[in-house]
């Protein structure tokens, strides 16, 4: 049986998963099955990435609609604002709200390589401005909801200011690759909180201390919102190299070597899952409010991590 790693809230640990919009019909079909399997873990939400410059807008929406229509899980839309005019960003937010999305991950996004001029970067300079815009558009569109008053006579309603379900933002425990200094990432997270962010999700990392140290510094600086650790099991040497390339994060030598010397694919899978399950147990024991797992659109490895944490029954990470 899979050993269960202790020191955390086991079955109650809140989790969420990240997906990206598929490029082919075959990948879309496979993603539908992945979503159904991930939904069995009863996650707080499934988030769907957004291609730089809006390249995936329709494909992202298709995945988000699938989640809303086929599961009872909340769907979170990543949105980026780099390169957009204020008007374009406004209508983007409106389009997603119209599709029924009420949870967002507000990002600045990366400008295309070589683009540096303020005109090309667009009207919104940072993710905090997009956070503000999401709140503003929601309020303009539908400022109040009519809510039942518990215990009051039937039909009694009060008008409550409508807020998006969640407005999440990114945080960088090991620093954003282009941060100006060590405190820039904390300052930027604080600015996002002031703008109205309700939770932060971190860039992936490989050492629990990276996350725990960052949270400590953020709390000292006045950040009070939940900072959810983002983790991704690297289940092959190729996957680990790709993660390093995409995020700029330094990969641990012991994990790279262990994956490299293991000849068997199943053995590599177990090494990657086991490594991240241990990091997850450490951050949860250190007070992390939950886990956000990057899936690479595959359920096996992330459900395997939850299985090792005792958050899912044994066999959840099978290839069924
Ligand atoms: P910001 O937080 O606005 O800026 C990034 C960093 O720049 C800050 O942390 C800070 O160090 C520095 N900075 C910004 N403003 C200031 C300032 N005023 N003063 C000093 N320093 C400043 N990209 C996509 O294209 N699509 C996605 O779906 C996507 N999803 C992501 C999900 C997560 C959880 C994470 C962590 C990243 C994701 N990204 C995605 C990548 C992200 O778009 C890039 O990291 C981008 O370079 C920065 O976006 P941001 O929202 O972090 O920007």
């Amino acid at each position: 049986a899979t050993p269960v790693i202790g020191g955390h809230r086991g079955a109650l640990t809140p989790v969420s998963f990240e997906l990206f919009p598929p490029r082919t019909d075959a990948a879309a079909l496979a993603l539908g099955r992945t979503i159904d399997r991930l939904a069995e873990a009863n996650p707080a939400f499934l988030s769907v990435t957004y291609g730089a410059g809006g390249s995936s807008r329709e494909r992202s929406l298709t995945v988000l609609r699938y989640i809303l229509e086929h599961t009872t899980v909340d769907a979170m839309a990543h949105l980026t604002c780099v390169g957009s005019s204020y008007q374009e960003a406004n209508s983007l937010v409106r389009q997603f709200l119209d599709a029924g999305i009420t949870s967002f991950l507000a990002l600045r996004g990366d400008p295309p390589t070589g683009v540096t001029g303020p005109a090309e970067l667009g009207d919104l300079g940072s993710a905090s401005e997009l956070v503000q815009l999401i709140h503003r558009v929601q309020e303009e569109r539908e400022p109040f909801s009519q809510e039942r008053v518990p215990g009051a006579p039937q039909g009694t309603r009060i008008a409550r200011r409508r807020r998006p379900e969640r407005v999440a933002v990114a945080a960088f425990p090991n620093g954003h690759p282009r941060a100006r200094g060590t405190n820039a990432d904390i300052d930027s997270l604080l600015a996002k909180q002031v703008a109205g962010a309700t939770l932060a999700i971190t860039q992936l990392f490989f050492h629990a201390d990276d996350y725990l140290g960052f949270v400590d510094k953020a709390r000292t600086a006045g950040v009070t919102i939940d900072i959810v650790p983002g983790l991704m099991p690297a289940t092959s040497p190729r996957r680990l190299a790709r993660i390093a390339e995409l995020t700029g994060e330094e990969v641990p030598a012991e994990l790279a070597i262990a994956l490299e010397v293991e000849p068997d694919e199943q053995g590599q899978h177990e090494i990657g899952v086991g490594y991240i399950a241990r990091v997850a147990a450490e951050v949860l024991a250190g007070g992390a409010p939950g886990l956000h797992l990057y899936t690479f659109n595959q359920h096996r490895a992330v459900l395997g991590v939850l299985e090792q944490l005792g958050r899912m029954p044994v066999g959840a990470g099978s290839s069924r």
Side-chain angles (χ1 to χ4, degrees):
T2 315
V4 172
I5 306 172
H8 51 82
R9 285 180 283 169
L12 297 176
T13 302
V15 294
S16 51
F17 300 110
E18 183 169 311
L19 305 161
F20 59 84
R23 289 186 181 280
T24 63
D25 288 349
L29 204 62
L31 183 59
R33 285 194 296 272
T34 299
I35 290 173
D36 298 342
R37 291 296 306 275
L38 294 173
E40 290 171 15
N42 197 18
F45 57 86
L46 292 169
S47 81
V48 181
T49 63
Y50 188 78
S55 53
S56 77
R57 181 194 294 216
E58 288 310 319
R59 286 181 292 120
S60 296
L61 269 173
T62 303
V63 179
L64 291 159
R65 286 199 187 98
Y66 181 93
I67 296 167
L68 289 179
E69 285 162 17
H70 291 84
T71 76
T72 53
V73 181
D74 187 25
M76 175 184 282
H78 295 210
L79 291 184
T80 65
C81 56
V82 71
S84 306
S85 67
Y86 188 81
Q87 213 39 53
E88 284 165 346
N90 196 301
S91 73
L92 175 68
V93 173
R94 217 166 264 277
Q95 185 185 4
F96 278 69
L97 285 168
D98 287 345
I101 305 300
T102 55
S103 289
F104 295 93
L105 173 51
L107 301 143
R108 192 199 53 186
D110 288 313
T113 325
V115 170
T116 49
E120 290 87 352
L121 291 177
D123 286 345
L124 284 77
S126 70
S128 2
E129 288 177 53
L130 182 57
V131 170
Q132 276 178 326
L133 181 69
I134 291 170
H135 283 293
R136 200 166 310 137
V137 173
Q138 167 84 27
E139 278 181 25
E140 281 167 11
R141 197 172 160 273
E142 206 177 2
F144 297 104
S145 61
Q146 299 294 321
E147 290 182 16
R148 287 219 345 252
V149 183
Q154 263 222 319
T156 309
R157 296 273 194 279
I158 56 163
R160 219 181 266 290
R161 190 161 280 286
R162 199 184 276 276
R163 310 291 289 175
E165 195 76 33
R166 297 182 178 89
V167 182
V169 290
F172 298 86
N174 289 321
H176 186 273
R178 281 192 299 275
R180 280 177 228 149
T182 43
N183 286 328
D185 293 294
I186 303 277
D187 291 348
S188 141
L189 183 55
L190 201 51
K192 293 173 187 184
Q193 173 177 294
V194 172
T198 60
L199 101 133
I201 299 175
T202 76
Q203 178 59 286
L204 60 85
F205 56 89
F206 292 101
H207 300 287
D209 285 347
D210 296 346
Y211 167 81
L212 296 170
F214 176 78
V215 173
D216 261 358
K217 276 198 232 157
R219 296 287 176 244
T220 307
V223 176
T224 53
I225 56 174
D226 275 351
I227 303 175
V228 180
L231 292 171
M232 178 187 265
T235 49
S236 70
R238 236 185 70 210
R239 176 69 50 88
L240 187 64
R242 182 81 181 124
I243 292 173
E245 186 192 327
L246 287 175
T247 62
E249 290 292 319
E250 203 174 309
V251 302
E254 77 267 26
L255 175 60
I257 294 166
L259 287 171
E260 206 60 64
V261 299
E262 170 58 56
D264 176 47
E265 265 183 30
Q266 179 58 23
Q268 292 177 356
H269 180 91
E270 283 163 20
I271 290 168
V273 168
Y275 186 96
I276 287 303
R278 283 189 295 279
V279 177
E282 282 171 41
V283 292
L284 289 168
L291 299 172
H292 181 73
L293 295 169
Y294 296 96
T295 66
F296 249 121
N297 285 7
Q298 288 163 8
H299 66 271
R300 255 186 84 211
V302 292
L303 294 185
V305 170
L306 297 184
E307 192 182 317
Q308 292 208 8
L309 293 170
R311 170 68 172 68
M312 289 286 284
V314 173
S318 72
S319 49
R320 163 165 75 86

